[in-house]
Amino acid sequence: MARPQAYVVILAGGSGSRLWPLSRSHRPKQLLAFAGERSLLQSTFDRVVPLVSAERVIVMTEQSHADGIREQLPELPAENVVVEPARRGTAGSLALAAALIARRDPNALMASVHSDAHIDDADEFRRTLDAAFTAADRTRQLVLMGIVPSSPSTQLGYIEAADVLEEVDGYPVRKVARFVEKPVLERARQFVSSGRHYWNPGVFVWRVDTILAEFGRLQPKIKALVTTIAGSDSDSGALAEIYPTVPIETIDVGIMEKSDKVAVVPARFGWSDIGSWSEIFDVLPRDADGHAGHGEHLSLGSRDTLVFSTSRPVATIGLSDIVVIETPDVVLVCPRDRAAEVKMLVERLALDPERSKLL
């Protein structure tokens, strides 16, 4: 299934604060293994390399994560780990990646994937990605994958699809009518039953000339700056000098929601955004009492708990729907349905000079 002229960009710059205290600033969630031996980043790499060679996988990250990424992915050429000197949002990151790829091959195809998603059928993911590459090449559209919603989630963005443009290997390619961000529950229920709405997992596929042309039309300053960086020698200091001046913007707001050249390919594989401990619990196997996690857990009358133990046994009595995360310096305990609030706790710790060291 190897795909010539195709590149995959892995976005790996996030902090993973909602998975604290296991995810820390020096070792964020994408570098951690939650199921099996391979980290989320390594699992993402494993999913794409049968379709593209390691030489055509590029990781966009920040300085604090770079050494860990190089350690986990020794197959990558050194220049394929692009270290952004400042956080400027996904628009700048993907524009820079496209410009760097275009310097190698101006007719290349490019996919962008996140380093921290859970996908339960790697073969089907690759088939869908291959169809999206073909669709992007044929139609000159900015192509997204869309996940058929299994529930009326109010925490995810939705893609509303319009007419079918064409079919590629059994996958319909549909024009995108609009994007809707985190709807209220009643509207989310309507989306699930409509047959026209998909969750937006943030997987993009396009020709590099197509996306750079859209940047030139919709975000000309970003395009001008990243084109200058890509055209400079790697030791010129252009990246460190110019990139921090790139306007802060997301690819969704800066390009996708403004462009009239967007299409969606419905995906058939299972997908989950590994964004909180509750979502970790949802994708892990469970024992007879509904427990999931890692490490030694001693349970008496407890049910449906998530326990991650890194250095010592954890014992629970009579608990249900609880998250317990044990690390050598801090232990997190919270109801599973409040796991998303960990991010708020992390924000509070960041304001405390004495406790910020726990981040």
Side-chain angles (χ1 to χ4, degrees):
M1 195 186 281
R3 185 88 192 194
Q5 284 192 299
Y7 289 75
V8 173
V9 175
I10 301 176
L11 296 177
S15 60
S17 59
R18 287 184 294 170
L19 292 179
W20 181 87
L22 204 58
S23 178
R24 304 290 181 102
S25 57
H26 64 282
R27 197 164 182 81
K29 65 176 178 177
Q30 57 265 33
L31 299 181
L32 302 176
F34 294 97
E37 299 298 320
R38 301 284 278 177
S39 71
L40 292 174
L41 172 67
Q42 290 170 320
S43 297
T44 302
F45 177 81
D46 295 344
R47 275 195 298 273
V48 301
V49 286
L51 193 58
V52 302
S53 66
E55 291 71 25
R56 295 203 304 275
V57 175
I58 295 173
V59 179
M60 307 296 292
T61 190
E62 59 184 71
Q63 188 61 57
S64 61
H65 307 345
D67 289 344
I69 288 170
R70 294 188 182 104
E71 178 184 336
Q72 290 198 359
L73 296 179
E75 306 93 331
L76 290 183
E79 64 272 16
N80 284 25
V81 178
V82 180
V83 181
E84 300 170 39
R87 292 186 179 185
R88 312 311 292 166
T90 51
S93 185
L94 291 177
L96 177 59
L100 292 170
I101 293 169
R103 186 178 181 182
R104 301 187 192 184
D105 181 356
N107 297 309
L109 293 160
M110 166 185 160
S112 166
V113 300
H114 290 281
S115 60
D116 55 2
H118 172 80
I119 291 170
D120 65 8
D121 188 338
D123 288 336
E124 181 58 28
F125 173 83
R126 284 187 288 272
R127 285 190 288 269
T128 310
L129 183 58
D130 193 51
F133 275 131
T134 299
D137 198 24
R138 284 185 190 171
T139 67
R140 301 301 200 267
Q141 297 280 303
L142 309 178
V143 179
L144 305 95
M145 289 188 192
I147 306 297
V148 177
S150 58
S151 64
S153 173
T154 60
Q155 299 303 309
L156 297 171
Y158 288 75
I159 305 162
E160 181 179 341
D163 297 337
V164 174
L165 297 174
E166 65 172 81
E167 189 171 292
V168 177
D169 298 330
Y171 296 87
V173 182
R174 303 181 67 178
K175 190 71 176 174
V176 169
R178 60 174 176 157
F179 296 88
V180 181
E181 189 63 27
K182 296 182 180 179
V184 297
L185 181 59
E186 183 55 38
R187 201 174 188 201
R189 287 173 176 153
Q190 294 171 5
F191 289 171
V192 171
S193 62
S194 73
R196 302 191 317 274
H197 292 82
Y198 305 93
W199 286 337
N200 183 0
V203 177
F204 308 110
V205 182
W206 42 55
R207 287 177 57 101
V208 291
D209 54 0
T210 301
I211 187 62
L212 288 173
E214 286 298 271
F215 267 102
R217 186 171 69 88
L218 300 171
Q219 300 290 337
K221 184 174 181 180
I222 293 179
K223 183 190 178 183
L225 292 171
V226 300
T227 300
T228 299
I229 295 169
S232 304
D233 293 334
S234 59
D235 58 355
S236 69
L239 178 62
E241 180 181 347
I242 298 174
Y243 194 76
T245 70
V246 170
I248 298 175
E249 187 58 274
T250 65
I251 191 70
D252 302 85
V253 173
I255 298 293
M256 305 306 288
E257 294 179 8
K258 292 180 171 65
S259 177
D260 58 358
K261 298 168 65 70
V262 185
V264 60
V265 174
R268 303 166 185 166
F269 52 82
W271 169 88
S272 177
D273 175 25
I274 303 299
S276 73
W277 287 115
S278 179
E279 288 158 344
I280 291 285
F281 179 81
D282 288 341
V283 302
L284 289 181
R286 301 173 204 171
D287 65 16
D289 294 319
H291 301 312
H294 172 80
E296 189 173 359
H297 175 206
L298 310 175
S299 170
L300 178 62
S302 293
R303 293 197 58 83
D304 304 322
T305 62
L306 175 68
V307 176
F308 265 78
S309 172
T310 65
S311 63
R312 51 193 156 169
V314 170
T316 62
I317 300 175
L319 299 181
S320 62
D321 300 312
I322 294 292
V323 170
V324 182
I325 311 300
E326 181 276 335
T327 69
D329 58 347
V330 65
V331 176
L332 168 72
V333 182
C334 70
R336 191 154 43 85
D337 62 4
R338 296 187 63 179
E341 296 178 41
V342 170
K343 183 176 181 180
M344 297 169 60
L345 179 61
V346 169
E347 291 170 351
R348 183 174 296 183
L349 290 174
L351 299 175
D352 186 331
E354 290 297 317
R355 293 177 174 172
S356 61
K357 62 185 178 182
L358 295 174
L359 304 179

